[in-house]
Amino acid sequence: MCRTESTGGHGHALPAVALPATREPSYGAGVLRLLRLALVVPTLLLAAPGQQRVFVDARALGSGDGSSWANAHTDLQAALARPGALEIWVAEGTYHPSAGGDRNATFTLRSGIAVYGGFSGVETEVWQRNARAHPTVLSGDLNGDDVTGSGLYWYSGAAGFGENSYRVITAEQADASTVLDGCVVEGGYAYDTTGGVTAGGGLFARDSALTVRGCTFRHNFAYWYGGAVALFGGQPTLAACTVVENMVSDGRGGGVALSGTVAATLRDDQFRANTARGYVDGSGGALYIDFDAGCGVSGCRFVGNESRIFAGGRSPATGGAVFNGGTGTAFARCAFVGNLSNYGGGIFSYRGMAVSDCLFDGNRVANYNGLAGSGAGLAAVGLVTPIGISVRGCTFVHGVATDDGGGMFVSNITGPVTGCVFWNNRDVDGSIGRSQCRGANPRYSCVQNLLVGPPNEDPPDPRNYPGSIALDPVFVDADGPDNLAGNEDDDLRLTAASPCIDVAEAAVAVGPLDVGGMPRRLDGDLDGTLRADMGAHEFGLAALRTTVARSLSQVDVDLDVLGAASTLGFLCIGVPGPGLPILTLGELAIDLQQPLLVVPLGPLPAHLALGVAPSGARLQAQPLGLTTSLRGTFGNAITLDL
């Protein structure tokens, strides 16, 4: 059996369906017509004719000229220095910037070079690799003596980091043709006693437009900026990366720091257990966005990150997951779960930003030296003049603040808070209305104890909260299978009994997708009107049940639906890379060689027989529930790793 994954809060999104006017579907029995929809498919990772491909394998015993796997370079530095090299394939193994203990040595990425890791050493196409099974590790641990572990101050010299590379990877003015894909980057130690190197232990990029895709950054350290990654200027992209257990001390951005006039894109990344700690500063446990920086963040997860000030420190830590000082920052479809700080457990912002379709679950803030302790999910403060903050279609649950705003705390802001759910958040006042959201008047939102104020004060005026309700949102399973609220197994989707379905503010634009990749503005109550739901999750009647089995000759996918008996199947199929050979779907054979999405409509259950799928290929599926009147709603999107 192959692993089957639900998209949850971070799957690959599928577009809403618009049926072409010239091709009316027939809703009779049996398999229905094919429809084709445009789909943005990741670019094929194949060398174009004339490009020079260079091979690297630490185990190779051939000539070492890099011309093939058998004759591969055994050192990545040799391949990077190769004149004319445009594409470098690196087999599994561990590679160090220096074999002689030179801490200044670094893997330098230059314009025009794409580095791909994760090969076993026999592949002839990029899509054949499996980076998880065959990790390519770029390590700054020159002596091989690092000691790491959760909660351990592993950045100290006593933990073996004192001789590590200052920066594992460096890029200076690298253009958009520069790619790092499918590698593990670890053991960078951006600190020397003179203070000359203080940023970007794993990757330091200046004025670059490189793309870093499908990489893992772990156990990297910087004294000041970006424990794992520091991006200074340029237009860099981090896509589908995992940033885990990285750290800054007395600094900013335990995982990633953005500084200078950078315009960065973060997409489908995961930030876990990163830390920003210090005596003077501890900001942005996972991500720090400096005051001249700009960043678009979509589909990312921030779990268990923290910013803390050491005992005796001067000021509260800000932004357990994210500190935002930039202008124009936007967060869409992100999840913030179990992050910790003194001010802004999930996000802290001094500048304007937009937050839409995001989930804030189980974040915490604690008072430090009589300061802060506000905004467990989100805190935003205009220091001098009001700042523009918009919060749309978000869910805030299980937040805990020692002072104000167990869900959200804002001060001196302009902009709407609309279409949100605030539930089971606590602060110094308990779980009254302003404990859920302090400093703003949510509209068209579901707020626990909305009209309950502190004792001996006048109750809140309902006219300040147009369209808002105080009814239980009726989540699927608010504390998850483990019965512990505030962690990743909480199922905060809406059930059919929820009063939050189809009642968000109609005039306010929400994103095209919710936090789980569902299309927004579905007809959840089947009244014929498309309208968004309150909260981060859009309700769908149908849910897919999937089983994947793999043999030497083919892959079998069985798809069924949980929901109304009248449900018809709606199946979206797409894979990154070359066409996936689909042998049967009832009577249909599907050709995916073109970058188009093929959409068959028909009843479920269905059996899908595929030719042997390329390693790492993905299939995306989504059901559509239809009543006899042909009104319908989408169900949950599923991504299957084949």
Side-chain angles (χ1 to χ4, degrees):
M1 296 293 292
C2 286
R3 186 164 58 91
T4 302
E5 292 185 349
S6 169
T7 58
H10 55 282
H12 290 261
L14 297 173
V17 170
L19 300 181
T22 57
R23 307 189 72 176
E24 288 292 327
S26 168
Y27 290 96
V31 178
L32 304 182
R33 304 184 183 186
L34 289 181
L35 304 173
R36 297 172 78 93
L37 300 178
L39 174 69
V40 178
V41 175
T43 303
L44 304 188
L45 305 181
L46 303 177
Q51 287 187 344
Q52 183 173 353
R53 181 174 298 158
V54 179
F55 296 85
V56 179
D57 188 341
R59 306 158 300 180
L61 300 175
S63 66
D65 62 6
S67 60
S68 65
W69 286 123
N71 296 314
H73 293 295
T74 57
D75 179 13
L76 176 57
Q77 292 285 31
L80 289 169
R82 179 85 170 265
L86 297 178
E87 192 173 277
I88 299 174
W89 290 14
V90 190
E92 63 183 313
T94 300
Y95 301 85
H96 302 285
S98 171
D102 180 4
R103 296 189 64 197
N104 289 292
T106 183
F107 293 120
T108 300
L109 302 179
R110 57 180 171 83
S111 295
I113 289 186
V115 177
Y116 299 108
F119 296 91
S120 67
V122 298
E123 295 85 351
T124 58
E125 304 289 349
V126 168
W127 55 261
Q128 293 172 331
R129 64 186 170 146
N130 186 333
R132 283 175 291 186
H134 304 285
T136 295
V137 181
L138 310 183
S139 174
D141 181 12
L142 302 181
N143 286 353
D145 61 351
D146 287 359
V147 179
T148 62
S150 179
L152 179 69
Y153 286 91
W154 41 261
Y155 60 83
S156 67
F161 278 68
E163 95 298 336
N164 287 30
S165 301
Y166 291 126
R167 291 163 176 158
V168 180
I169 303 169
T170 302
E172 295 275 354
Q173 298 182 326
D175 65 22
S177 65
T178 311
V179 175
L180 180 69
D181 185 301
C183 295
V184 177
V185 182
E186 66 181 22
Y189 187 62
Y191 175 63
D192 64 11
T193 56
T194 67
V197 180
T198 59
L203 165 66
F204 179 87
R206 187 189 303 277
D207 298 329
S208 294
L210 79 166
T211 295
V212 181
R213 182 174 50 228
C215 291
T216 295
F217 292 85
R218 66 190 183 195
H219 305 147
N220 298 283
F221 173 79
Y223 181 74
W224 183 237
Y225 264 65
V229 178
L231 303 173
F232 282 51
Q235 300 86 39
T237 296
L238 264 64
C241 291
T242 298
V243 183
V244 57
E245 292 188 0
N246 303 279
M247 185 179 293
V248 289
S249 178
D250 244 357
R252 304 171 177 183
V256 174
L258 310 177
S259 189
T261 55
V262 61
T265 299
L266 275 59
R267 183 176 63 247
D268 299 326
D269 301 307
Q270 297 210 27
F271 295 83
R272 297 177 178 272
N274 301 286
T275 305
R277 301 188 183 189
Y279 291 103
V280 178
D281 198 356
S283 301
L287 172 63
Y288 180 88
I289 304 170
D290 214 340
F291 291 89
D292 291 326
C295 189
V297 186
S298 63
C300 294
R301 293 184 71 83
F302 299 84
V303 181
N305 305 283
E306 68 174 46
S307 60
R308 287 195 176 189
I309 293 294
F310 292 121
R314 305 174 193 174
S315 60
T318 51
V322 177
F323 174 95
N324 175 54
T327 56
T329 301
F331 296 90
R333 300 186 297 103
C334 294
F336 300 83
V337 181
N339 302 287
L340 171 67
S341 185
N342 301 133
Y343 211 169
I347 301 174
F348 179 86
S349 184
Y350 276 133
R351 305 289 286 277
M353 65 177 181
V355 182
S356 64
D357 310 297
C358 290
L359 171 66
F360 297 82
D361 182 11
N363 300 289
R364 295 174 292 146
V365 286
N367 183 292
Y368 177 77
N369 283 351
L371 299 171
S374 298
L378 182 154
V381 178
L383 293 179
V384 179
T385 59
I387 57 175
I389 301 289
S390 67
V391 181
R392 300 168 296 162
C394 294
T395 296
F396 294 80
V397 294
H398 306 140
V400 178
T402 57
D403 289 352
D404 299 318
M408 185 172 76
F409 173 87
V410 293
S411 176
N412 199 20
I413 74 162
T414 62
V417 177
T418 183
C420 295
V421 173
F422 297 88
W423 206 260
N424 197 28
N425 302 289
R426 295 181 288 114
D427 68 4
V428 67
D429 293 320
S431 293
I432 64 174
R434 73 181 190 187
S435 302
Q436 310 300 319
C437 179
R438 183 68 177 267
N441 296 332
R443 64 194 196 212
Y444 291 88
S445 295
C446 177
V447 185
Q448 185 179 20
N449 296 321
L450 174 65
L451 301 180
V452 177
N456 304 317
E457 291 187 15
D458 292 337
D461 187 342
R463 291 174 297 181
N464 294 327
Y465 308 96
S468 291
I469 59 176
L471 302 174
D472 188 337
V474 195
F475 297 123
V476 171
D477 188 356
D479 57 6
D482 65 0
N483 297 318
L484 297 174
N487 58 35
E488 286 190 278
D489 78 343
D490 299 347
D491 191 341
L492 299 164
R493 293 175 298 156
L494 304 175
T495 66
S498 174
C500 298
I501 296 172
D502 281 16
V503 290
E505 190 169 2
V508 172
V510 291
L513 302 168
D514 75 357
V515 72
M518 286 274 289
R520 276 294 200 182
R521 297 189 184 278
L522 302 181
D523 185 12
D525 57 7
L526 299 179
D527 67 352
T529 302
L530 297 178
R531 188 167 176 175
D533 301 342
M534 294 175 178
H537 288 280
E538 192 79 3
F539 174 71
L541 287 175
L544 275 181
R545 179 173 59 198
T546 60
T547 304
V548 179
R550 187 180 185 118
S551 67
L552 293 177
S553 58
Q554 70 181 47
V555 177
D556 293 284
V557 181
D558 288 290
L559 299 147
D560 202 351
V561 70
L562 305 175
S566 60
T567 298
L568 296 178
F570 173 78
L571 184 63
C572 299
I573 301 173
V575 293
L580 181 64
I582 299 179
L583 306 179
T584 61
L585 175 62
E587 302 171 9
L588 302 177
I590 302 173
D591 177 12
L592 287 181
Q593 294 295 331
Q594 301 298 319
L596 295 175
L597 179 64
V598 180
V599 182
L601 289 169
L604 294 177
H607 178 80
L608 191 64
L610 314 177
V612 177
S615 179
R618 286 183 167 182
L619 177 148
Q620 296 174 331
Q622 187 168 4
L624 173 65
L626 293 174
T627 66
T628 53
S629 63
L630 302 185
R631 292 177 178 170
T633 180
F634 288 90
N636 64 307
I638 297 292
T639 295
L640 304 175
D641 287 328
L642 302 178

